[in-house]
Amino acid sequence: MLNDLTVQNYRCLKDLHIKDFARVNLLVGMNNSGKTSLLEAIYLLVNQDDVYLSLIELLHNRAETNKFPG
């Protein structure tokens, strides 16, 4: 379980620090405020074994894989 998290320079999150996570946490905010970016950052954190494939999967989920050749 995460106790705290710092995200720096990921998409719209320049310097975010969250402390005291609970067992259940609720993310709320306006559109384009960084909720999905935070979830993606956590996804990349827990999938550090193959960051390249994790990034490709995230780009595919956002329909952005067509920006890369091959």
Side-chain angles (χ1 to χ4, degrees):
M1 183 169 98
L2 287 174
N3 293 321
D4 63 287
L5 176 71
T6 299
V7 179
Q8 294 179 316
N9 300 319
Y10 182 73
R11 299 185 74 191
C12 66
L13 305 174
K14 300 304 175 207
D15 190 21
L16 172 69
H17 183 72
I18 301 173
K19 61 180 181 174
D20 299 328
F21 275 102
R23 283 182 56 113
V24 176
N25 298 277
L26 180 65
L27 297 176
V28 295
M30 303 278 296
N31 289 346
N32 204 32
S33 63
K35 300 178 300 288
T36 300
S37 295
L38 175 60
L39 293 175
E40 286 180 357
I42 293 170
Y43 175 79
L44 291 172
L45 175 68
V46 299
N47 289 295
Q48 289 183 48
D49 293 340
D50 200 339
V51 174
Y52 179 77
L53 285 178
S54 298
L55 284 170
I56 295 297
E57 184 177 342
L58 289 176
L59 291 173
H60 177 73
N61 290 341
R62 286 193 240 141
E64 294 184 13
T65 51
N66 60 346
K67 296 180 180 180
F68 299 96

